[in-house]
Amino acid sequence: MRIRVLGSAAGGGFPQWNCNCPRCRDARSGRLAGECRTQSSIAVSVDNEHWLLINASPDIRAQILATPELQPGRALRDTGIAAVLLMDSQIDHVTGLLMLRESAQPLQIYCSRRVEEDLRTGFPILEILSHYCGTQVHALPLDGEALEVGGVPGLRITPVPLTSKAPPYSPHRQDPQPGDNVGLLLEGQRTGGTAFYAPGLGEMGPHLHAWMDRADVLLVDGTTWTDDEMQRTVDGRKTARDMGHLPQHGPGGMIEQLQRYARARRILIHINNTNPILDPESAERRQLEGEGIEVSHDGMVIDL
Ligand code: MLT
Ligand code: MN
Ligand code: ZN
């Protein structure tokens, strides 16, 4: 199984268009130019030809241009993307669907019923696409059943409901339910390699151990270093935990939680532009390296 990181940043990307926090300034002035990142998305394949796009970021066009496998050119209109799986209905994970409207076939979309409802009401992308390529929506099971994705041979996926909140425009915002946000256990049937993917992971309770213990690779929430980072750095109103993201530093934080899984390759993704780990020379990055935790980057390939 091959995982391609298309976008390793959180919503807004790095640098964010209007942000002049120390990290964004350094990215724009060149000191951290090599660290620029597009918004949260990965693609997964077993045969390196048929790909499942997991989350469709607003940066999808640039991400496809940077990834020749996703544009194999076998016909006048062609794509390597056989289907799209949406883990939640957040702007950074679904807006790219609009950029795929030229598709020659209806887009094959896998998401929970809750996410589908958001995308027909609060952010009605599925209704809008019915005027273009159309969509065919497949409901994700939430009971621990695995599924296979049509057109992506050899890949098995188990969605795992996570504790989180639906986005602000969701009619379910005040009524969190399983399915607002899922993690995924990805298994390549040929090699038996497994990965657990969760770019938004607010809580790491015992309900996740059984899934995460099985994974050779953990590709998990790297949004912020501290809980109040966005408040302190850019005057944000919300803490990381308010937004359903577990900060890395401190008691109960991601670094501590990941110690249980030291057997696995542990990689952070969905990194917010305020996070000091974006600077490879930072003390925070050195601390991660000391723990054996990696930071993903756009274009990263994970074979397993
Ligand atoms: C999140 O991950 O919390 C959201 O994507 C935030 C956002 O894009 O506004
Ligand atoms: Mn996000
Ligand atoms: Zn910034």
Side-chain angles (χ1 to χ4, degrees):
M1 176 168 67
R2 171 165 284 189
I3 298 175
R4 272 196 167 274
V5 174
L6 304 181
S8 55
F14 180 60
Q16 180 176 304
W17 68 283
N18 63 344
C19 188
N20 293 295
C21 76
R23 246 68 54 186
C24 286
R25 235 190 358 246
D26 281 352
R28 229 172 263 114
S29 71
R31 193 176 79 79
L32 293 180
E35 292 289 309
C36 290
R37 292 155 194 271
T38 62
Q39 293 167 83
S40 186
S41 177
I42 64 171
V44 187
S45 176
V46 173
D47 60 8
N48 219 17
E49 188 181 345
H50 303 87
W51 292 85
L52 173 65
L53 180 69
I54 302 185
N55 298 322
S57 112
D59 300 319
I60 183 73
R61 183 174 176 280
Q63 292 169 342
I64 292 173
L65 282 172
T67 316
E69 295 93 321
L70 298 182
Q71 187 20 310
R74 298 161 298 198
L76 183 58
R77 293 288 177 98
D78 192 25
T79 176
I81 300 170
V84 188
L85 189 153
L86 307 172
M87 301 176 77
D88 56 43
S89 54
Q90 296 277 359
I91 289 176
D92 58 347
H93 285 164
V94 303
T95 309
L97 292 175
L98 295 172
M99 274 49 107
L100 302 179
R101 67 192 176 283
E102 297 90 353
S103 175
Q105 282 89 35
L107 294 173
Q108 301 298 308
I109 296 176
Y110 291 76
C111 63
S112 71
R113 289 279 182 225
R114 298 278 289 190
V115 167
E116 180 180 2
E117 209 177 312
D118 288 351
L119 299 183
R120 294 196 186 283
T121 55
F123 191 14
I125 286 184
L126 298 175
E127 304 303 318
I128 294 169
L129 285 173
S130 71
H131 301 279
Y132 296 87
C133 57
T135 58
Q136 194 174 355
V137 179
H138 309 262
L140 288 182
L142 297 175
D143 56 359
E145 280 293 303
L147 78 144
E148 291 183 16
V149 172
V152 188
L155 181 65
R156 257 165 67 95
I157 296 187
T158 312
V160 180
L162 302 177
T163 313
S164 195
K165 261 186 176 173
Y169 41 81
S170 165
H172 314 122
R173 173 73 167 176
Q174 304 307 336
D175 170 34
Q177 294 282 333
D180 289 331
N181 185 289
V182 299
L184 299 174
L185 188 76
L186 306 168
E187 299 176 76
Q189 285 169 329
R190 198 177 298 165
T191 57
T194 54
F196 183 79
Y197 177 48
L201 192 52
E203 276 178 38
M204 282 188 42
H207 61 296
L208 293 180
H209 290 334
W211 301 106
M212 295 180 68
D213 280 340
R214 283 173 60 185
D216 304 309
V217 171
L218 300 172
L219 192 55
V220 293
D221 194 334
T223 309
T224 67
W225 182 254
T226 52
D227 194 35
D228 62 353
E229 179 179 302
M230 284 182 271
Q231 293 168 314
R232 279 189 302 107
T233 331
V234 288
D235 213 12
R237 277 167 299 160
K238 295 175 189 155
T239 66
R241 284 191 166 89
D242 287 341
M243 297 175 73
H245 298 293
L246 183 66
Q248 280 117 55
H249 180 71
M254 186 61 86
I255 295 174
E256 189 182 293
Q257 300 278 355
L258 287 179
Q259 281 165 357
R260 175 192 167 95
Y261 306 102
R263 187 192 61 82
R265 191 172 165 196
R266 296 156 299 159
I267 309 172
L268 300 179
I269 194 162
H270 190 277
I271 299 151
N272 197 59
N273 58 75
T274 51
N275 193 329
I277 65 172
L278 286 166
D279 184 344
E281 283 160 21
S282 61
E284 291 84 356
R285 186 72 159 260
R286 271 200 302 280
Q287 189 179 335
L288 281 185
E289 281 160 8
E291 296 281 343
I293 299 172
E294 297 170 63
V295 177
S296 67
H297 56 85
D298 290 21
M300 185 180 200
V301 176
I302 302 164
D303 282 321
L304 69 177

